[in-house]
Amino acid sequence: MAKGAWCPHCSKLTFHDKGSLSVCSSCQAVGWSWQKAVRHMGKGKGNKCPNCGNQTLHRVGEATSPKGKYVHGIRRCGVCDYSLIEPAQ
């Protein structure tokens, strides 16, 4: 895999851009910038955003615990960039 950016958690060059967020291929850390547009959303209408009220809150990724035991969904609004981390499944 190509080199990524420096991961803020494990300090390796494994922090890769996945569209609406970046994911470390080494430690599974997930992060995003408020200045980066929301991309690679699912099709159709999203959930209602609690910040702006539009139906534009889409699931853009997930964060998985290092041993894969817990999965948290990550949603971002395509209009106001509100971000939501869902409880573990």
Side-chain angles (χ1 to χ4, degrees):
M1 181 177 271
K3 283 187 180 179
W6 287 103
C7 174
H9 183 257
C10 70
S11 300
K12 295 180 181 175
L13 285 172
T14 52
F15 207 51
H16 299 279
D17 182 1
K18 300 291 184 184
S20 296
L21 44 86
S22 294
V23 179
C24 178
S25 59
S26 179
C27 72
Q28 306 307 311
V30 177
W32 58 91
S33 169
W34 272 253
Q35 297 174 340
K36 187 172 186 175
V38 177
R39 300 183 315 199
H40 304 297
M41 295 182 291
K43 292 182 179 181
K45 183 170 70 170
N47 290 30
K48 185 174 182 178
C49 175
N51 189 52
C52 69
N54 293 301
Q55 297 289 133
T56 51
L57 188 64
H58 291 271
R59 188 172 177 131
V60 295
E62 57 187 37
T64 307
S65 66
K67 295 184 180 179
K69 188 173 181 182
Y70 303 105
V71 177
H72 299 269
I74 299 171
R75 293 185 184 267
R76 289 184 63 197
C77 178
V79 172
C80 71
D81 200 32
Y82 175 84
S83 300
L84 172 73
I85 299 175
E86 299 172 321
Q89 297 176 357

